[in-house]
Structure formats: C-alpha cells, structure tokens
Amino acid sequence: MQWLRRHAWWGLLVVALIFAIFGFTDIASGAAADPAIPLGLTGLTIEELEAESAAAYAVFDFSTRTQGWTLVIVGALLAIITLVPYRRGERWAWRTMWSLPVWSVGVAAFYVIAGVEPDQQPPPPMVSGPIVAVLSAAILLIDRRRVTAAKD
C-alpha cells in the first residue's frame, strides 16, 4: 500500500495530460473531434447537423474549439499542481485536486440534464466523466494519509 501511496499521483498526472490532449484534438478538429456527441444529443450526424443549419453548426464547431482550449488550460493547470505542490504533499493542492472528480461528474450531469437521444449510445463524456471521477477520487483518498500528515 505504501508503494501505491507514493505513486498514486501519476494517475492524476495522466488524467490531466489526457485532458490536454483531448483539448488539442478539439481545437484542431472542431465539431468533428467527437462525432458521437452530436449523434447522442440530437440523433443527427455532424453532416446532417451542418446541412440542417450551417449557422448552428458553426456555433457548435466554435464551441467545441473553445471548450478544447478550456481542456488544454485545465489539463495544464492540473498537471502543474500535481507535479509540484501535490507531490510535495501540500494540503491546499490535495484539496484543489478534488475539483477534478467534481468537474468530471458535472460534465456527465450536463448530458443528463440536456437529455440524450434514447435510440443512440450515450456521448463519450457521459461515460468517461464518472470513470474519471471515481478514479481520481480513489487516488485522492488513497493519498489522503500522506497529505494530511504533512504540514502546510
């Protein structure tokens, strides 16, 4: 268990870097980065959505790219917090990292609130959000003793 506590932070770092990578993909590809999202929310493919309303598609594409930028920044900030103060065992960093599972559950909740097409697979963030939340919360709980024993 001691080995796991010493190395658990790697899981948080991997999640942060994955967020940044997904963000860069969203910036580069726009709406096409994840075709399952519009399909799950509207039942329409990206092409059908664009054909139905070029203006709505342009807004969706712009939103995807700006959300990608948000993912890059969030991923970078989480990675920096993980690499420096979290690894040193600073309590504020451990507390701040709890924003990761909270945010991940929130993303999935937005899909539930928006509603998904019943005949479509759930959009990937609706599935990955709870997985990331449970994984990151487990890491934080495993590492709790190391952090709470440290002095700020």
Side-chain angles (χ1 to χ4, degrees):
M1 188 65 154
Q2 188 63 23
W3 181 90
L4 187 57
R5 278 195 191 103
R6 277 198 318 264
H7 297 91
W9 66 271
W10 279 98
L12 297 174
L13 181 62
V14 167
V15 168
L17 295 176
I18 288 171
F19 282 172
I21 291 167
F22 281 172
F24 282 120
T25 302
D26 288 351
I27 291 168
S29 303
D34 194 344
I37 291 176
L39 194 58
L41 289 172
T42 66
L44 300 173
T45 65
I46 291 175
E47 295 78 16
E48 292 168 334
L49 194 62
E50 186 174 21
E52 188 173 291
S53 173
Y57 175 82
V59 171
F60 174 56
D61 186 68
F62 176 78
S63 177
T64 301
R65 292 174 197 273
T66 58
Q67 289 298 318
W69 178 240
T70 301
L71 278 175
V72 169
I73 296 301
V74 166
L77 290 173
L78 289 173
I80 291 166
I81 290 171
T82 300
L83 284 170
V84 183
Y86 185 86
R87 283 184 57 210
R88 283 194 299 231
E90 295 182 24
R91 285 186 203 170
W92 74 265
W94 181 80
R95 289 184 196 116
T96 300
M97 291 304 287
W98 277 97
S99 62
L100 178 56
V102 171
W103 178 76
S104 298
V105 167
V107 168
F110 274 107
Y111 283 92
V112 171
I113 293 167
V116 295
E117 287 293 310
D119 59 335
Q120 297 294 330
Q121 295 290 324
M126 195 173 176
V127 176
S128 63
I131 292 169
V132 168
V134 168
L135 175 67
S136 57
I139 291 168
L140 290 164
L141 288 172
I142 287 168
D143 214 17
R144 182 179 66 83
R145 190 177 303 161
R146 179 185 68 86
V147 175
T148 56
K151 301 253 192 253
D152 278 334

